[in-house]
Amino acid sequence: MSGITPISKDAAKFEPAAAPAALQKCVAEVGKVLLGKQDQIRMALCCLLARGHLLIEDLPGMGKTTLAHALGDALGLEYRRIQFTSDMLPADVLGTSIFKRDSGEFQFVEGPIFTQLLLADEINRTTPKTQSALLEAMEEKQVSIDGVTRPLPEPFFVIATQNPGSQSGTYALPESQLDRFLMRIEVGYPGHDAEREMLRAGLGEQHRKPVSQQMGLEQLFALQKQVDIQKVSDTLLDYLQRLVDYSRSNPDFAYGLSPRGALALLQSAKAAALLENRAHVIPEDVQAVLPWVAAHRLAPAGGTMSGALGLVAQMLDSVDVL
Amino acid sequence: MSTASQIPRNSIIWLLLAQLVVILPHTGRMSWWMIAIWLLCALWRMAMFRGEASYPGRAVRGVLVMLGSIGVAVSFGSVGGLDFAVALLILAFSLKLIEVRTRRDMFLVFNLALFIVAASFLFSQSVFLALYQIGSIVLIFTAMVATQHALHNRAPLLSLRKSLRLVAQAVPVMLLFFLVFPRIPPIWSVPTSGGGAGTGMSDSIEPGDIAKLNQSSKLAFVVEFESTRPPSIEMYWRGITLEDFDGRKWSAADSAVSVGDRSRREELTEQIELYGVPLRYTLIVEPTKKNWLFALPVAQLQTDADRAGMKGIFYTADYNLRKRTPLSERSELKVESYLDYRADWTLSQQARKNNLRLPRRSNPRARSLAQQMYARTGSTEQFVLAMQRYFLEKDFFYTLEPPELGRHTVDEFVFDTRKGYCEHYANAFAFMLRAAGVPARVVVGYQGGEVNPHNNTLSVRQLDAHAWLEYWQAGEGWLRLDPTYTVAPERINFGLEGALARRPELGASRLSPLYLRNLAMIKSVRLRLDAINHSWQRWVVNFDASQQRRVFERLMGSADPWKLGLIVAGVLGAMLALLSFIILRPGAKDTRSPEHKLYRRFCRKMQKRLQLRRGKAETPLAFAARIAAQAPQCAEQADAITRQYMQIAYAGESGLKQFKRSVERFRPRRPAS
């Protein structure tokens, strides 16, 4: 992976990097445990600010869990983790009602989903039934069991990880489910220097450095609200719509971006602008988030070749910014 | 195989479709097994498409090619010839289907397909075929476009749309070239196709020949009259006079063609007097592979047509039109005919002898009858009348299915069967006239024709073929005599089809397709289609050098080569200019905000002065950064302009005036060297 966005560096040059100190600190803090992955950390934050959910797709041992855990710590979120297995049932995620002998009543025992930051590890190891129970809860931000609807905590942020579909013993998420995730990112191998540093320090799951909290809930809510009111000009919407139209009209695409995909792209771009401490969105923001918002919502015509990222690159190259 | 050279799947489907459509018009000329081979290849290809079969090995292909080629050679009897060549082409076209692997192979197949489409016009040039083949070309192009699309493209109709657009765009160019492209006479001659024999006149007849000919509704020629059409009874399209009689067969004397060929019409007046105003008309003659032409007597070419290059046509001694080379393509002749004439009022000894000669001991009964009748009447005029009376009184019968005749055809016909067709009557009359000492000869040609009310043309078909005779009377010259008219006047007045409709007992059971042709509804549709096709032949297929010159003369007064060149260059130039304008129009898409236009102007300035061009995907900021790196002398200004633009376009701030000033003032400096 050649860095998430080479262009955003120019943007940083132009608007002096003075993002809200807390956000910057968050990135730095998480960066302490996930070395050399600034861009991925920024995208994860971006996703959180845009109130979306994040899917991390990569091989085992690339630091997916580390990223999720560190992010939870840095933002001071209540954190839980589900390790998905193939024999897991929806009740194991959502919770279940248990008969209490002493009171003679059923009592609801919350599942691990009742948390602010949920790490759904290896989501494609479990059956579609359990997957969809989780994904529905993500979409609705509430859980309905035995006729009672229980709201999930605020904020509710899911980081799901999955192994690439080609690995054995997995149930690939269908396209309709992938769409529930605002972004899909890959972590990728660390750079040479970062890996050397990691090896030298002996960093790993076992001896993780403590990550200190950088932000309170109030601050997080405020930032999320700020994302909603980011300034978006017609010139920018023109660009965004040209991108979406391109994906719909070019025969290389099996299908184009949906309206939900277009909204996701805009929301993410707004969050990316906020990370740059800017109150309006510029094309660089769209370009920065496009691969991670669009790639899992697109497929090349024919569907047999993997290459959605190639399609996005083609889209970026072919669509005029102005 | 790399994916770059792989054939997209849609393309295969389109190719199969295109092949079917391309081969279809040729099926009439192909053997059934060739269609089977194509089907086999198509099925094989489909199996490959579905992954159920693999490419055939070298041996299998070799055997198929060998067997196929031998089969074609056997089926067509000979190596060479048009049918053979086309069949071989189609065979290759079919077999190629199971051999194509890469995109490049596909192009060979497309070229073959286009060639086969072109080859179909060697056999027919009708408007319907032309329309059909436009469809074929669209399909071929669709397959071609599909070859260039993504491997798993799921929108097959996209290729069709593109191909339709391509063809539509080619139409104006095609029309232009049709009008102005020089009509070069063929450099090579196309070998004649073997199927020509069987339909059409021959230069000898025996009883039964014309009846056979009359069962075909194939077109012989079409006539366009410049003024009023003469009545049916006047329309004897004279073609060949037959002087030699061997007791059974009448055939053309060699002398009639070789002696006295006259290519200038002045020479026609030697032994001929023409009266009145000539009837002027145009003949559009179907190719017959024969030399003779049919026209109303006495015909000559109209002068301007003479000049227009209708070369190789001459007049025979018996006042017919002939072409020096066989008619191998449809041709147009402008002819004028003097229906009122007197020809050969004196007859040379040789000619007299030729036209009296009869085989000895042939038809003794008819011979003696004729001699008795002549002795009784005393004059040629009276004798002819007496003969006609005899044929009327003796209950002769006109039929399409006359009984077979033996050795003495005239005797058997006149005294026994008394059932005959036009050639029987002509045969009997001519024989008896000669027997009585009156020079006579049989004439074959066409009689009447079918009028198409939609374009007022006359179509003469093989079923209008007819035989009559001419006898010579001192002082009068050759006189036409049609005994069929005496026996069955409706044949002459209403044509064969009309006669059949009025008198079904003529024995038309074998001619039932003729009945079908004349059912009211079918007839009206047929005539309408004929009219369309005729206009097509007239104005498109026959658009030759002289017509081209006429069009230009009408448009510009003269048709000098340099003017033609100028027109071609001018129209092509205009089309290119229009295209370039549409594509390169400055600021073609600039219907948007003013700051957008201003920023574009800034970009144009950068490009013009410093050859720095903003890439499509390059954002203003990235462009500014690049300017800073590559043209530092402009960095400050460019940065300021970009900053202003960003503020206006994305942050929604004001300051357009200032921005405009900055852009207008901006002069990219060249680097100080």
Side-chain angles (χ1 to χ4, degrees), chain B residues 496-536:
Chain B
L496 178 62
E497 291 179 302
L500 287 175
R502 284 171 179 79
R503 284 181 53 192
E505 75 276 8
L506 287 182
S509 60
R510 277 164 61 197
L511 286 177
S512 47
L514 288 189
Y515 274 135
L516 207 62
R517 274 168 54 78
N518 287 294
L519 287 178
M521 213 175 72
I522 294 179
K523 182 166 178 169
S524 103
V525 171
R526 178 170 60 81
L527 288 176
R528 173 77 64 186
L529 291 181
D530 279 355
I532 293 171
N533 207 12
H534 176 74
S535 311
W536 167 263

Short mmCIF file of all heavy atoms in Angstrom, two decimals, chain B residues 496-536:
data_model
loop_
_atom_site.label_atom_id
_atom_site.label_comp_id
_atom_site.label_asym_id
_atom_site.label_seq_id
_atom_site.Cartn_x
_atom_site.Cartn_y
_atom_site.Cartn_z
N LEU B 496 -49.64 -13.26 -71.03
CA LEU B 496 -49.82 -14.65 -70.66
C LEU B 496 -50.60 -14.77 -69.36
O LEU B 496 -51.53 -15.55 -69.23
CB LEU B 496 -48.46 -15.34 -70.51
CG LEU B 496 -48.53 -16.79 -70.08
CD1 LEU B 496 -49.25 -17.63 -71.10
CD2 LEU B 496 -47.13 -17.34 -69.84
N GLU B 497 -50.23 -13.95 -68.41
CA GLU B 497 -50.89 -14.06 -67.11
C GLU B 497 -52.35 -13.67 -67.21
O GLU B 497 -53.22 -14.29 -66.61
CB GLU B 497 -50.17 -13.17 -66.10
CG GLU B 497 -48.80 -13.71 -65.78
CD GLU B 497 -48.06 -12.84 -64.79
OE1 GLU B 497 -47.86 -11.65 -65.06
OE2 GLU B 497 -47.69 -13.38 -63.75
N GLY B 498 -52.61 -12.63 -68.00
CA GLY B 498 -53.99 -12.21 -68.19
C GLY B 498 -54.79 -13.30 -68.88
O GLY B 498 -55.93 -13.59 -68.50
N ALA B 499 -54.18 -13.93 -69.86
CA ALA B 499 -54.86 -14.98 -70.59
C ALA B 499 -55.18 -16.14 -69.67
O ALA B 499 -56.28 -16.71 -69.70
CB ALA B 499 -54.00 -15.45 -71.75
N LEU B 500 -54.25 -16.47 -68.82
CA LEU B 500 -54.46 -17.58 -67.89
C LEU B 500 -55.58 -17.25 -66.93
O LEU B 500 -56.40 -18.10 -66.60
CB LEU B 500 -53.17 -17.85 -67.10
CG LEU B 500 -52.08 -18.53 -67.88
CD1 LEU B 500 -50.84 -18.64 -67.03
CD2 LEU B 500 -52.53 -19.91 -68.32
N ALA B 501 -55.62 -16.01 -66.48
CA ALA B 501 -56.65 -15.62 -65.54
C ALA B 501 -58.02 -15.73 -66.19
O ALA B 501 -59.00 -16.09 -65.54
CB ALA B 501 -56.40 -14.20 -65.05
N ARG B 502 -58.08 -15.41 -67.48
CA ARG B 502 -59.38 -15.44 -68.17
C ARG B 502 -59.75 -16.84 -68.62
O ARG B 502 -60.92 -17.20 -68.66
CB ARG B 502 -59.35 -14.49 -69.36
CG ARG B 502 -59.44 -13.04 -68.92
CD ARG B 502 -59.19 -12.11 -70.09
NE ARG B 502 -59.32 -10.73 -69.64
CZ ARG B 502 -58.37 -10.09 -68.97
NH1 ARG B 502 -57.25 -10.67 -68.68
NH2 ARG B 502 -58.57 -8.84 -68.59
N ARG B 503 -58.75 -17.61 -68.99
CA ARG B 503 -59.07 -18.94 -69.52
C ARG B 503 -58.20 -20.00 -68.84
O ARG B 503 -57.19 -20.43 -69.38
CB ARG B 503 -58.83 -18.95 -71.02
CG ARG B 503 -59.94 -18.23 -71.78
CD ARG B 503 -59.69 -18.28 -73.26
NE ARG B 503 -59.47 -19.64 -73.73
CZ ARG B 503 -58.99 -19.91 -74.95
NH1 ARG B 503 -58.67 -18.92 -75.76
NH2 ARG B 503 -58.83 -21.14 -75.33
N PRO B 504 -58.60 -20.42 -67.65
CA PRO B 504 -57.77 -21.37 -66.90
C PRO B 504 -57.59 -22.69 -67.64
O PRO B 504 -56.65 -23.42 -67.34
CB PRO B 504 -58.53 -21.55 -65.58
CG PRO B 504 -59.86 -20.93 -65.79
CD PRO B 504 -59.79 -20.00 -66.94
N GLU B 505 -58.46 -22.97 -68.59
CA GLU B 505 -58.34 -24.27 -69.25
C GLU B 505 -57.12 -24.33 -70.15
O GLU B 505 -56.81 -25.36 -70.74
CB GLU B 505 -59.62 -24.58 -70.06
CG GLU B 505 -59.78 -23.82 -71.37
CD GLU B 505 -60.38 -22.43 -71.20
OE1 GLU B 505 -60.52 -22.01 -70.03
OE2 GLU B 505 -60.71 -21.79 -72.20
N LEU B 506 -56.38 -23.22 -70.27
CA LEU B 506 -55.18 -23.23 -71.10
C LEU B 506 -54.15 -24.23 -70.57
O LEU B 506 -53.11 -24.43 -71.18
CB LEU B 506 -54.55 -21.85 -71.15
CG LEU B 506 -55.29 -20.81 -72.00
CD1 LEU B 506 -54.55 -19.51 -72.01
CD2 LEU B 506 -55.48 -21.32 -73.41
N GLY B 507 -54.44 -24.76 -69.43
CA GLY B 507 -53.52 -25.78 -68.93
C GLY B 507 -52.46 -25.18 -68.05
O GLY B 507 -51.28 -25.28 -68.33
N ALA B 508 -52.90 -24.51 -67.01
CA ALA B 508 -51.93 -23.80 -66.21
C ALA B 508 -51.69 -24.47 -64.89
O ALA B 508 -51.12 -23.89 -63.99
CB ALA B 508 -52.41 -22.38 -65.97
N SER B 509 -52.11 -25.73 -64.75
CA SER B 509 -51.95 -26.37 -63.45
C SER B 509 -50.49 -26.36 -63.04
O SER B 509 -50.15 -26.16 -61.89
CB SER B 509 -52.46 -27.81 -63.51
OG SER B 509 -51.73 -28.52 -64.49
N ARG B 510 -49.61 -26.53 -64.02
CA ARG B 510 -48.19 -26.54 -63.69
C ARG B 510 -47.69 -25.15 -63.37
O ARG B 510 -46.59 -24.96 -62.86
CB ARG B 510 -47.39 -27.09 -64.87
CG ARG B 510 -47.35 -28.60 -64.89
CD ARG B 510 -46.91 -29.09 -66.22
NE ARG B 510 -45.57 -28.63 -66.54
CZ ARG B 510 -45.08 -28.66 -67.78
NH1 ARG B 510 -45.80 -29.08 -68.77
NH2 ARG B 510 -43.85 -28.24 -67.99
N LEU B 511 -48.49 -24.19 -63.68
CA LEU B 511 -48.04 -22.80 -63.50
C LEU B 511 -48.66 -22.18 -62.27
O LEU B 511 -48.78 -20.98 -62.17
CB LEU B 511 -48.44 -21.98 -64.73
CG LEU B 511 -47.61 -22.25 -65.97
CD1 LEU B 511 -48.15 -21.45 -67.11
CD2 LEU B 511 -46.16 -21.89 -65.73
N SER B 512 -49.04 -23.03 -61.30
CA SER B 512 -49.75 -22.46 -60.16
C SER B 512 -49.00 -21.33 -59.46
O SER B 512 -49.63 -20.42 -58.97
CB SER B 512 -50.13 -23.55 -59.18
OG SER B 512 -49.04 -24.39 -58.94
N PRO B 513 -47.66 -21.35 -59.42
CA PRO B 513 -46.99 -20.19 -58.83
C PRO B 513 -47.37 -18.91 -59.57
O PRO B 513 -47.46 -17.84 -58.97
CB PRO B 513 -45.50 -20.50 -59.01
CG PRO B 513 -45.44 -21.95 -59.23
CD PRO B 513 -46.72 -22.39 -59.83
N LEU B 514 -47.66 -19.04 -60.84
CA LEU B 514 -48.06 -17.85 -61.59
C LEU B 514 -49.39 -17.32 -61.07
O LEU B 514 -49.62 -16.13 -60.99
CB LEU B 514 -48.18 -18.17 -63.08
CG LEU B 514 -46.87 -18.39 -63.81
CD1 LEU B 514 -47.11 -18.49 -65.29
CD2 LEU B 514 -45.89 -17.27 -63.51
N TYR B 515 -50.28 -18.26 -60.72
CA TYR B 515 -51.55 -17.82 -60.15
C TYR B 515 -51.31 -17.06 -58.86
O TYR B 515 -51.87 -16.02 -58.61
CB TYR B 515 -52.45 -19.02 -59.88
CG TYR B 515 -53.26 -19.43 -61.07
CD1 TYR B 515 -53.38 -20.74 -61.46
CD2 TYR B 515 -53.91 -18.43 -61.82
CE1 TYR B 515 -54.12 -21.09 -62.56
CE2 TYR B 515 -54.64 -18.78 -62.93
CZ TYR B 515 -54.74 -20.11 -63.31
OH TYR B 515 -55.46 -20.44 -64.39
N LEU B 516 -50.45 -17.64 -58.03
CA LEU B 516 -50.15 -17.05 -56.74
C LEU B 516 -49.65 -15.62 -56.91
O LEU B 516 -50.04 -14.71 -56.20
CB LEU B 516 -49.08 -17.91 -56.05
CG LEU B 516 -49.11 -17.85 -54.53
CD1 LEU B 516 -50.44 -18.38 -54.02
CD2 LEU B 516 -47.98 -18.70 -53.98
N ARG B 517 -48.79 -15.45 -57.90
CA ARG B 517 -48.23 -14.13 -58.16
C ARG B 517 -49.31 -13.10 -58.41
O ARG B 517 -49.12 -11.92 -58.20
CB ARG B 517 -47.36 -14.17 -59.43
CG ARG B 517 -45.93 -14.59 -59.21
CD ARG B 517 -45.27 -14.87 -60.54
NE ARG B 517 -45.37 -13.77 -61.48
CZ ARG B 517 -44.62 -12.69 -61.44
NH1 ARG B 517 -43.74 -12.56 -60.50
NH2 ARG B 517 -44.77 -11.72 -62.32
N ASN B 518 -50.46 -13.58 -58.90
CA ASN B 518 -51.45 -12.62 -59.35
C ASN B 518 -52.64 -12.48 -58.42
O ASN B 518 -53.58 -11.80 -58.73
CB ASN B 518 -51.92 -13.00 -60.75
CG ASN B 518 -50.81 -12.67 -61.74
OD1 ASN B 518 -50.48 -11.52 -61.94
ND2 ASN B 518 -50.21 -13.70 -62.30
N LEU B 519 -52.59 -13.13 -57.25
CA LEU B 519 -53.61 -12.86 -56.24
C LEU B 519 -53.53 -11.37 -55.93
O LEU B 519 -52.44 -10.82 -55.77
CB LEU B 519 -53.35 -13.68 -54.98
CG LEU B 519 -53.65 -15.17 -55.13
CD1 LEU B 519 -53.32 -15.90 -53.86
CD2 LEU B 519 -55.12 -15.37 -55.49
N ALA B 520 -54.69 -10.76 -55.79
CA ALA B 520 -54.73 -9.29 -55.76
C ALA B 520 -53.76 -8.70 -54.74
O ALA B 520 -52.98 -7.81 -55.06
CB ALA B 520 -56.14 -8.84 -55.47
N MET B 521 -53.77 -9.26 -53.54
CA MET B 521 -52.98 -8.63 -52.50
C MET B 521 -51.49 -8.81 -52.76
O MET B 521 -50.71 -7.87 -52.71
CB MET B 521 -53.33 -9.23 -51.15
CG MET B 521 -53.23 -8.25 -50.02
SD MET B 521 -53.80 -9.01 -48.52
CE MET B 521 -52.46 -10.11 -48.19
N ILE B 522 -51.12 -10.04 -53.08
CA ILE B 522 -49.72 -10.33 -53.35
C ILE B 522 -49.23 -9.49 -54.51
O ILE B 522 -48.14 -8.92 -54.50
CB ILE B 522 -49.54 -11.83 -53.64
CG1 ILE B 522 -49.86 -12.60 -52.37
CG2 ILE B 522 -48.14 -12.13 -54.12
CD1 ILE B 522 -49.75 -14.08 -52.52
N LYS B 523 -50.08 -9.36 -55.51
CA LYS B 523 -49.67 -8.61 -56.69
C LYS B 523 -49.39 -7.16 -56.33
O LYS B 523 -48.40 -6.59 -56.77
CB LYS B 523 -50.77 -8.69 -57.75
CG LYS B 523 -50.40 -7.98 -59.01
CD LYS B 523 -51.32 -8.35 -60.15
CE LYS B 523 -50.93 -7.56 -61.39
NZ LYS B 523 -51.59 -8.05 -62.57
N SER B 524 -50.26 -6.58 -55.50
CA SER B 524 -50.05 -5.16 -55.21
C SER B 524 -48.78 -4.97 -54.40
O SER B 524 -48.00 -4.04 -54.64
CB SER B 524 -51.28 -4.59 -54.50
OG SER B 524 -51.04 -4.44 -53.13
N VAL B 525 -48.52 -5.87 -53.44
CA VAL B 525 -47.28 -5.76 -52.66
C VAL B 525 -46.07 -5.95 -53.58
O VAL B 525 -45.10 -5.20 -53.53
CB VAL B 525 -47.25 -6.81 -51.53
CG1 VAL B 525 -45.90 -6.84 -50.86
CG2 VAL B 525 -48.34 -6.51 -50.52
N ARG B 526 -46.19 -6.96 -54.45
CA ARG B 526 -45.07 -7.28 -55.34
C ARG B 526 -44.75 -6.09 -56.24
O ARG B 526 -43.59 -5.71 -56.43
CB ARG B 526 -45.44 -8.50 -56.18
CG ARG B 526 -44.39 -8.91 -57.18
CD ARG B 526 -44.72 -10.25 -57.80
NE ARG B 526 -45.99 -10.26 -58.51
CZ ARG B 526 -46.15 -9.80 -59.75
NH1 ARG B 526 -45.12 -9.31 -60.39
NH2 ARG B 526 -47.32 -9.85 -60.33
N LEU B 527 -45.82 -5.47 -56.77
CA LEU B 527 -45.58 -4.34 -57.67
C LEU B 527 -44.94 -3.17 -56.93
O LEU B 527 -44.04 -2.50 -57.43
CB LEU B 527 -46.90 -3.89 -58.30
CG LEU B 527 -47.44 -4.87 -59.36
CD1 LEU B 527 -48.78 -4.40 -59.86
CD2 LEU B 527 -46.47 -5.00 -60.51
N ARG B 528 -45.38 -2.98 -55.67
CA ARG B 528 -44.82 -1.89 -54.87
C ARG B 528 -43.32 -2.14 -54.64
O ARG B 528 -42.49 -1.25 -54.83
CB ARG B 528 -45.59 -1.81 -53.55
CG ARG B 528 -45.04 -0.84 -52.54
CD ARG B 528 -45.36 0.59 -52.83
NE ARG B 528 -46.78 0.89 -52.78
CZ ARG B 528 -47.29 2.09 -53.12
NH1 ARG B 528 -46.49 3.05 -53.52
NH2 ARG B 528 -48.58 2.32 -53.07
N LEU B 529 -42.99 -3.38 -54.24
CA LEU B 529 -41.58 -3.72 -53.99
C LEU B 529 -40.77 -3.58 -55.27
O LEU B 529 -39.64 -3.07 -55.26
CB LEU B 529 -41.46 -5.14 -53.45
CG LEU B 529 -42.02 -5.34 -52.04
CD1 LEU B 529 -41.83 -6.77 -51.59
CD2 LEU B 529 -41.34 -4.39 -51.06
N ASP B 530 -41.36 -4.04 -56.39
CA ASP B 530 -40.66 -3.91 -57.67
C ASP B 530 -40.34 -2.46 -57.96
O ASP B 530 -39.25 -2.13 -58.44
CB ASP B 530 -41.55 -4.45 -58.80
CG ASP B 530 -41.46 -5.97 -58.89
OD1 ASP B 530 -40.65 -6.53 -58.14
OD2 ASP B 530 -42.20 -6.56 -59.68
N ALA B 531 -41.31 -1.59 -57.67
CA ALA B 531 -41.11 -0.17 -57.96
C ALA B 531 -39.96 0.38 -57.14
O ALA B 531 -39.11 1.12 -57.65
CB ALA B 531 -42.40 0.61 -57.67
N ILE B 532 -39.93 -0.01 -55.84
CA ILE B 532 -38.83 0.47 -54.98
C ILE B 532 -37.50 -0.02 -55.53
O ILE B 532 -36.55 0.74 -55.69
CB ILE B 532 -39.03 -0.05 -53.54
CG1 ILE B 532 -40.26 0.59 -52.92
CG2 ILE B 532 -37.80 0.26 -52.70
CD1 ILE B 532 -40.66 -0.03 -51.60
N ASN B 533 -37.46 -1.30 -55.83
CA ASN B 533 -36.21 -1.87 -56.30
C ASN B 533 -35.79 -1.25 -57.63
O ASN B 533 -34.61 -1.03 -57.88
CB ASN B 533 -36.38 -3.38 -56.45
CG ASN B 533 -35.07 -4.11 -56.28
OD1 ASN B 533 -34.09 -3.51 -55.83
ND2 ASN B 533 -35.03 -5.35 -56.66
N HIS B 534 -36.78 -0.93 -58.45
CA HIS B 534 -36.46 -0.34 -59.74
C HIS B 534 -35.79 1.03 -59.55
O HIS B 534 -34.77 1.33 -60.16
CB HIS B 534 -37.71 -0.20 -60.59
CG HIS B 534 -37.46 0.49 -61.88
ND1 HIS B 534 -36.82 -0.13 -62.92
CD2 HIS B 534 -37.72 1.75 -62.28
CE1 HIS B 534 -36.71 0.71 -63.92
NE2 HIS B 534 -37.25 1.87 -63.56
N SER B 535 -36.37 1.84 -58.65
CA SER B 535 -35.77 3.16 -58.42
C SER B 535 -34.35 2.99 -57.90
O SER B 535 -33.44 3.74 -58.27
CB SER B 535 -36.56 3.94 -57.37
OG SER B 535 -37.91 3.91 -57.69
N TRP B 536 -34.18 2.02 -57.03
CA TRP B 536 -32.85 1.75 -56.48
C TRP B 536 -31.88 1.42 -57.61
O TRP B 536 -30.78 1.96 -57.69
CB TRP B 536 -32.96 0.61 -55.48
CG TRP B 536 -31.69 -0.01 -55.04
CD1 TRP B 536 -31.12 -1.14 -55.52
CD2 TRP B 536 -30.81 0.46 -54.02
NE1 TRP B 536 -29.94 -1.41 -54.86
CE2 TRP B 536 -29.74 -0.43 -53.94
CE3 TRP B 536 -30.84 1.56 -53.16
CZ2 TRP B 536 -28.70 -0.27 -53.04
CZ3 TRP B 536 -29.80 1.72 -52.26
CH2 TRP B 536 -28.75 0.82 -52.21
#
